[in-house]
Amino acid sequence: MPQSPASATHNGQPAINAVLATVPYQPDELALLRAQVAPAQFIHCSSTDEKGIADALKFVDVAIISGDLDDRYLEAPALKWVHCDHSGLTRSARPEVFQKGLLVTGSAGRSAAALAQHAFYFALALTYDARRLMEKQAAHAWRGIPGYEQKLGLAGKTLGIIGYGQTGAEMAALGKAFQMRVIALNRSAIAAPVNVDLMLSSERGDTIDPLIEQADVIMLATQLTDVTYHMFSAPQFARMKPSAFIINMARGQVIDEQALVQALRSGEIAGAGLDVFAKEPLPADSPLWDLSNVLVTPHMTPGLPDKRQRSIQMITENIARYREGRPMLNALSEKDVFTPKS
């Protein structure tokens, strides 16, 4: 087993002494990470190599892993920083992480453009009634859909975005490209960016109500936390326009699915585009499969050609920030904790 290097600091800031990586990268990509952490010891294991991981966790101070952290990482005696190479860190946002003082970062934003485009696939398909148009095409019916000439496109409508991270920012940019008015709700108080007409902040005391009441399309791009669990339930659907659509690219439990089904069946809202669900895979008996005003995709988005390179860029940037004692990109905080619901 490799020996533990002596603990060290550099100019009073944390030094990286030994790194465990379980990410399934290509040899040249691993070589790039190895070079970035040099002169630290670099150990690469398959994510299924339990012995190799256990041996390395006896002394490494940094881990770059492909999934979420588990008790092995919480119990590692020297571990100080874990990077989870994916976007949603709900399973890693555990109270024990902060009790241990463990720094945890993720790769949120690497697929932001693709997720925003997926959201607009839903928005356009719902707005243009793509399901019924395809049915007419299959039937070779030229006359189309009665009343279709009264429909309005996205231009001039209001887009509401919940969660203004990198995906939310990409959604806003596309909204402006479609000539929409954009309202966003963010946890932190920030000035309205160039693509946002009205920026609301929960930390500033703003409520979600103006967004819900004004939006024609609501897109969810927020984290699942104890605060955002069932953020959309019966009271929120009741405040939406009956012509409005809701699109979930966040996590399934941000929406109360039973309340959503009721709102969709009753016509309280016009439709939904859903890529994430409270239980995945979505059970075969879920009514969401068969509702005519719902579009379902199986938590699956076409990727970007440079997705892995974007991850590596984030990890590389965070290596520099860690060594310099600067704030890290995509770092978990106690505000991100989600307590699983029974």
Side-chain angles (χ1 to χ4, degrees):
M1 184 187 79
Q3 296 301 306
S4 170
S7 177
T9 61
H10 177 70
N11 294 333
Q13 303 296 346
I16 297 175
N17 303 310
V19 177
L20 165 66
T22 68
V23 285
Y25 288 180
Q26 295 300 313
D28 60 324
E29 295 166 336
L30 291 170
L32 177 58
L33 286 183
R34 188 186 304 270
Q36 291 297 320
V37 300
Q41 187 174 355
F42 186 86
I43 304 107
H44 181 250
C45 296
S46 165
S47 60
T48 61
D49 182 0
E50 294 189 9
K51 184 179 185 304
I53 292 171
D55 287 344
L57 285 177
K58 292 176 182 177
F59 64 89
V60 297
D61 49 315
V62 173
I64 302 168
I65 64 177
S66 53
D68 287 289
L69 60 84
D70 54 41
D71 289 345
R72 295 174 298 175
Y73 297 92
L74 291 171
E75 295 165 1
L79 194 60
K80 295 180 174 59
W81 168 34
V82 179
H83 181 87
C84 301
D85 189 31
H86 60 104
S87 58
L89 298 186
T90 301
R91 292 188 181 93
S92 293
R94 302 162 56 180
E96 305 95 295
V97 167
F98 307 103
Q99 293 164 9
K100 179 181 171 67
L102 189 62
L103 176 61
V104 179
T105 58
S107 294
R110 64 179 182 173
S111 298
L115 292 170
Q117 291 166 25
H118 192 141
F120 272 87
Y121 152 75
F122 281 139
L124 290 166
L126 290 164
T127 297
Y128 286 85
D129 207 347
R131 185 197 294 269
R132 286 204 291 170
L133 287 177
M134 292 300 109
E135 290 171 353
K136 293 293 184 181
Q137 179 180 337
H140 300 190
W142 178 255
R143 293 192 58 166
I145 300 168
Y148 197 82
E149 66 278 1
Q150 303 300 319
K151 279 185 166 292
L152 296 175
L154 293 177
K157 291 182 176 178
T158 295
L159 170 64
I161 300 170
I162 310 294
Y164 199 79
Q166 295 180 70
T167 299
E170 293 281 357
M171 289 171 170
L174 287 178
K176 279 300 173 187
F178 280 103
Q179 303 174 39
M180 301 182 78
R181 176 173 178 256
V182 177
I183 304 174
L185 174 70
N186 194 47
R187 183 169 66 190
S188 302
I190 59 174
V194 64
N195 290 319
V196 176
D197 297 287
L198 174 61
M199 175 61 76
L200 305 171
S201 165
S202 53
E203 287 187 352
R204 197 166 49 216
D206 297 327
T207 73
I208 197 173
D209 291 347
L211 185 152
I212 291 176
E213 293 165 358
Q214 296 177 41
D216 299 287
V217 179
I218 296 176
M219 295 183 178
L220 307 184
T222 188
Q223 295 172 282
L224 174 61
T225 69
D226 287 339
V227 172
T228 63
Y229 174 77
H230 283 190
M231 172 182 271
F232 274 80
S233 192
Q236 288 72 41
F237 294 129
R239 298 182 79 92
M240 286 174 61
K241 296 179 180 180
S243 58
F245 303 123
I246 190 164
I247 294 168
N248 194 0
M249 301 300 298
R251 286 293 179 265
Q253 293 181 80
V254 174
I255 289 180
D256 177 346
E257 283 185 2
Q258 289 186 341
L260 173 63
V261 169
Q262 178 59 34
L264 290 163
R265 281 176 168 164
S266 67
E268 197 165 46
I269 65 173
L274 308 171
D275 185 54
V276 290
F277 304 89
K279 184 177 181 181
E280 296 181 358
L282 181 64
D285 61 355
S286 169
L288 291 169
W289 287 111
D290 298 313
L291 290 173
S292 62
N293 52 353
V294 174
L295 298 176
V296 168
T297 53
H299 204 153
M300 186 179 294
T301 296
L304 298 172
D306 60 345
K307 177 179 176 180
R308 185 171 289 175
Q309 287 68 35
R310 288 168 179 247
S311 277
I312 292 171
Q313 288 173 0
M314 290 181 191
I315 296 168
T316 298
E317 172 66 19
N318 268 342
I319 289 168
R321 288 172 178 244
Y322 181 80
R323 283 174 161 157
E324 296 166 9
R326 292 189 285 135
M328 305 281 274
L329 300 176
N330 295 331
L332 283 181
S333 75
E334 292 186 76
K335 294 178 181 177
D336 300 316
V337 168
F338 174 66
T339 307
K341 309 300 186 283
S342 58

